[in-house]
Amino acid sequence: QVQLVESGGGLVQAGGSLRLSCAASGSIGSINVMAWYRQAPGKQRELVAALTSGSSPNYADSVKGRFTISRDNAKNTVFLQMNSLKPEDTAVYYCMVVGSRAYWGQGTQVTVSS
């Protein structure tokens, strides 16, 4: 049974910071990609940041310079440090891990007030 457990979401004022975590457990296989997506109300889910083994991190243009993705390989955990948050960053954030197949977390709400 594969589980992705997310934490770190919440309510923050514009300009503030949050750090999301996603811990993967179970028979995932060799992890090639760890990523964060988000989905705002009425919008499609979009890629925020991704880490692919052997490659540099990939970021959406809207978060470049503000968000940083990192991982702890020993703990199969991926992080998203979010700084200088804006109201338009408000969304449900999902982690996604690609091992034997793609697995998704349950989502964590991030709300940025103006």
Side-chain angles (χ1 to χ4, degrees), residues 43-59:
K43 294 188 177 181
Q44 289 188 331
R45 190 171 298 188
E46 63 174 357
L47 176 67
V48 176
L51 270 177
T52 302
S53 297
S55 298
S56 299
N58 182 39
Y59 295 97

Side-chain angles (χ1 to χ4, degrees), residues 7-78:
S7 61
L11 173 64
V12 65
Q13 288 188 332
S17 299
L18 285 173
R19 189 185 192 219
L20 305 182
S21 300
C22 174
S25 62
S27 301
I28 295 177
S30 178
I31 295 176
N32 296 313
V33 180
M34 302 187 89
W36 289 94
Y37 286 73
R38 67 186 181 187
Q39 187 166 19
K43 294 188 177 181
Q44 289 188 331
R45 190 171 298 188
E46 63 174 357
L47 176 67
V48 176
L51 270 177
T52 302
S53 297
S55 298
S56 299
N58 182 39
Y59 295 97
D61 288 343
S62 59
V63 307
K64 283 180 181 176
R66 300 188 297 122
F67 291 10
T68 302
I69 189 172
S70 61
R71 63 187 283 182
D72 182 335
N73 291 329
K75 296 181 179 179
N76 280 349
T77 299
V78 61

Side-chain angles (χ1 to χ4, degrees), residues 38-41 46 87-93 108-112:
R38 67 186 181 187
Q39 187 166 19
E46 63 174 357
E88 51 263 43
D89 294 318
T90 295
V92 178
Y93 285 69
T108 185
Q109 177 70 46
V110 171
T111 302
V112 184

